[in-house]
Amino acid sequence: MSPASSRAQRRQRRNLLISVLAVVAISLGSFAAVFAAKWTPRLGLDLAGGLSVVYQTARNVSPSELNETVDILNNRVNGLGVSGAQVSTQGHNQIAVSIPGVKNPAALLKEIGNTAQLYFRPVYCTAYPFALNPGSKATKTAAAVPPQKAISGNGTLPACGSQYATNAANLDVTPNNSVQGYTSNNPTPDPSFAPYTSTNYSTNNYAKKTVLLPSLPAKGTSVSNTLRYVLGPAEMTGEAIGSAVAQQDQTGAWEVNYTLKGSANSALWDKVAQENFHLLLGIELDGVVQSAPLIQPSQATFTSFGGQGTISGGNMTEADAKSLALAMEFGSLPVRLNQLTTQTVSPTLGKSALKAGLGAGLGGLIFVLLYVMLYYRALGVVVISGLALTAAMLWAIISALGHTSFSPSFDLAGITGLIVDSYIVYFERLKDETRAGRSIRTSVDRGFKSAWRTVWAADFVSLLAAVILYVVAVGDVKGFAFFLGLSTIMDMAVTWFYTRPLVILLGRSERFTQAGRFGIARGLAVRRTAPDPGKGKGTGKGTSTGKGTDAGNGKGTDGRRLIKPGGVPAS
């Protein structure tokens, strides 16, 4: 063997060894990392339990409106940091939402089912909370006063009293150099609205009505005890909002900073703000006034907002700010939703099925691995180690993805998508090569080339099917498709970077190929044929007959492969 050829073989051996060690290091390292971080796969609804709710639209909707609603609900659930949720349509007017691992179902339902109709309305005046005069009995000096009856706030509301109106004259906003930047009056609430109930935001023509709405309650209080606002028709909706984020200002108070969608909506907002310059503008979300700020009170003249603004003031807490930002960020639902059914799903049944499945699968896997060890001998070690490394890497990847925005959930359907099946293809090709008369050293290279074409074609079909299923399917089938695609990619990677180099290294080592009953040669059913003892001596000039006889130097062919003296296959 020439020095150049020897160096090439050493370089190839080194590259093969590096590939094997790299796969081992990556697999075990990633598994150790997620184990140290105490990360585990995010379990799906059938394994972790959770919430399952079905919504029905309040009116008939088009398919496009239903799909838009599904997209918005998906965004809301993801925006709340909930992983593994599934939102899908049922029929022509129902939407099913499944959310695993829910700790506070009531709060979550309030967030995702909230229609988030955001309106910007001018403030006419303020009003006291709803209250009725209980009346009084007649006395010697006064006549009986009958109990006051409630008046519906859904009808036409009276005008605000002149002394209570929040108009420019009563507010008298004056910019100055004080810390606040201005001074203003604060008209008292109009008592005439006390017997009026708050306007129901589901009434017809709601956006164009004059309404009576409560303000956002402080922590520990209810909306029935808060100051109310008499608001005019909506002048702008939340559809004009492009993005919104909740954050704290310099004083630590929570606020929502928002930007408008495009120049048209920016111009609309400037128009609304200019019409209400130095006046109160109510920001209403689904029948509750989130805030009613003065427009640019510290400025003597109006200036453009430049496509962005801030919602602050009132009693806005961190939760209020984040909830408002979420609703503004992901838009209003095109239709109001009613809860049709709500069900808390127990993980008991799914976990029982998982335990039974894992027990049966583990038992079957042990028998299969024992069979592989007995059938392929030393090559069985490749199968066992490859499966262990693949399992470690899959666990690490799935656990890490559970802490990302993508966050797939691991359920029973996903488990069925985890498949690895390339070892047998390669090993059977090795058998075909050795049956053709080639040595194990030569077969490991040639066998992989032909096996890789089969593996690549099969895995490509599986990957294509997984992609198509993931795109067109919903629910559990989508999860199955994801894990099928992931395991298929892992199968191809491990086959190329681990199985191939390790089998080649073992096949070129006589210690493993001829290791008695455990050797690769025994696993590939390579016969060790000895030369004919009666014809093993000659003049040294004989030729092989091709039938296992030797008329020359003790070397000949058995008609299938070269053999050395004693029947050892030649390298």
Side-chain angles (χ1 to χ4, degrees):
M1 182 182 296
S2 65
S5 176
S6 178
R7 285 195 300 271
Q9 288 189 1
R10 288 197 299 270
R11 188 182 307 111
Q12 185 186 32
R13 177 182 175 84
R14 183 175 64 252
N15 292 339
L16 294 173
L17 187 59
I18 290 174
S19 180
V20 172
L21 294 178
V23 171
V24 173
I26 293 173
S27 298
L28 299 183
S30 58
F31 180 80
V34 298
F35 182 80
K38 297 182 179 180
W39 288 357
T40 57
R42 294 291 181 96
L43 300 180
L45 186 66
D46 51 0
L47 299 179
L51 183 69
S52 177
V53 58
V54 177
Y55 291 104
Q56 184 170 355
T57 60
R59 58 177 175 82
N60 291 329
V61 295
S62 64
S64 60
E65 287 179 314
L66 198 63
N67 291 333
E68 181 184 356
T69 304
V70 169
D71 292 338
I72 293 174
L73 289 179
N74 262 318
N75 288 330
R76 288 187 183 178
V77 172
N78 294 333
L80 290 169
V82 179
S83 64
Q86 297 176 359
V87 183
S88 59
T89 59
Q90 287 187 177
H92 64 280
N93 65 344
Q94 292 182 4
I95 297 176
V97 182
S98 299
I99 307 173
V102 177
K103 296 181 180 179
N104 191 346
L108 189 62
L109 283 174
K110 181 180 177 182
E111 293 293 345
I112 63 174
N114 189 350
T115 52
Q117 297 291 343
L118 188 71
Y119 295 116
F120 294 79
R121 299 175 180 267
V123 177
Y124 290 165
C125 66
T126 58
Y128 290 107
F130 172 73
L132 296 176
N133 188 337
S136 60
K137 296 180 179 180
T139 65
K140 293 181 179 180
T141 58
V145 177
Q148 194 174 27
K149 293 183 179 180
I151 306 173
S152 173
N154 296 331
T156 302
L157 296 173
C160 295
S162 59
Q163 70 271 37
Y164 307 111
T166 52
N167 52 32
N170 287 345
L171 288 173
D172 191 22
V173 178
T174 305
N176 55 32
N177 295 324
S178 65
V179 176
Q180 187 177 9
Y182 68 95
T183 60
S184 66
N185 297 328
N186 188 20
T188 59
D190 190 337
S192 64
F193 288 94
Y196 284 83
T197 61
S198 296
T199 306
N200 191 323
Y201 61 84
S202 62
T203 57
N204 293 330
N205 210 24
Y206 175 76
K208 298 179 180 180
K209 291 172 63 73
T210 297
V211 295
L212 175 60
L213 301 175
S215 58
L216 190 70
K219 186 175 181 180
T221 62
S222 67
V223 79
S224 61
N225 297 321
T226 63
L227 184 72
R228 296 189 293 174
Y229 290 86
V230 179
L231 306 168
E235 297 181 351
M236 193 177 80
T237 70
E239 293 295 331
I241 305 299
S243 63
V245 60
Q247 60 186 35
Q248 291 176 291
D249 62 14
Q250 295 178 347
T251 65
W254 281 94
E255 62 184 17
V256 176
N257 294 321
Y258 62 90
T259 57
L260 284 302
K261 291 180 182 176
S263 58
N265 287 309
S266 178
L268 174 62
W269 170 237
D270 281 345
K271 178 177 179 295
V272 171
Q274 188 169 13
E275 291 175 351
N276 292 276
F277 179 64
H278 281 186
L279 297 176
L280 296 172
L281 185 67
I283 302 171
E284 174 231 332
L285 179 68
D286 278 352
V288 177
V289 179
Q290 304 291 312
S291 180
L294 276 168
I295 302 298
Q296 297 181 343
S298 60
Q299 298 179 197
T301 58
F302 175 78
T303 57
S304 172
F305 278 82
Q308 58 187 6
T310 301
I311 300 175
S312 60
N315 300 306
M316 191 176 293
T317 64
E318 178 182 2
D320 298 329
K322 290 183 176 180
S323 176
L324 176 58
L326 179 68
M328 295 174 67
E329 173 77 20
F330 298 118
S332 304
L333 294 179
V335 63
R336 193 169 302 280
L337 298 177
N338 299 320
Q339 286 184 30
L340 196 61
T341 62
T342 304
Q343 180 182 5
T344 301
V345 179
S346 171
T348 304
L349 181 61
K351 287 187 176 180
S352 298
L354 179 63
K355 290 179 180 178
L358 288 177
L362 185 61
L365 180 62
I366 291 174
F367 281 112
V368 169
L369 293 181
L370 288 175
Y371 178 78
V372 168
M373 291 293 296
L374 293 174
Y375 190 73
Y376 288 113
R377 307 305 167 94
L379 291 178
V381 176
V382 178
V383 177
I384 296 175
S385 61
L387 289 175
L389 294 175
T390 301
M393 200 176 303
L394 282 172
W395 180 272
I397 292 173
I398 296 171
S399 299
L401 287 176
H403 289 76
T404 64
S405 58
F406 177 65
S407 192
S409 60
F410 196 55
D411 49 24
L412 293 176
I415 293 175
T416 60
L418 299 177
I419 57 171
V420 180
D421 58 359
S422 296
Y423 298 99
I424 305 303
V425 176
Y426 185 16
F427 296 166
E428 289 303 307
R429 286 302 303 167
L430 288 181
K431 280 192 172 185
D432 291 341
E433 294 294 328
T434 55
R435 290 192 187 105
R438 297 183 180 88
S439 66
I440 296 177
R441 176 184 287 270
T442 305
S443 297
V444 290
D445 280 317
R446 293 175 60 91
F448 182 80
K449 290 178 181 179
S450 57
W452 177 246
R453 289 193 294 268
T454 303
V455 170
W456 190 91
D459 283 347
F460 176 78
V461 172
S462 295
L463 188 60
L464 182 62
V467 171
I468 294 174
L469 273 178
Y470 187 83
V471 171
V472 303
V474 295
D476 293 339
V477 179
K478 198 180 188 76
F480 166 80
F482 172 78
F483 289 107
L484 173 62
L486 177 62
S487 63
T488 300
I489 294 174
M490 288 295 303
D491 182 46
M492 297 177 70
V494 171
T495 299
W496 180 267
F497 293 105
Y498 181 77
T499 306
R500 175 187 64 89
L502 183 58
V503 172
I504 291 175
L505 288 172
L506 295 179
R508 292 178 179 178
S509 172
E510 193 167 330
R511 179 183 302 173
F512 289 97
T513 56
Q514 306 299 332
R517 293 182 178 276
F518 191 71
I520 295 176
R522 188 64 177 265
L524 297 178
V526 177
R527 293 190 180 91
R528 295 173 43 168
T529 307
D532 189 332
K535 299 181 180 180
K537 298 179 181 180
T539 63
K541 298 180 181 180
T543 59
S544 171
T545 65
K547 298 182 179 180
T549 60
D550 189 359
N553 58 5
K555 296 181 180 180
T557 65
D558 62 357
R560 295 185 301 162
R561 58 188 179 277
L562 297 175
I563 56 174
K564 292 180 179 178
V568 179
S571 299

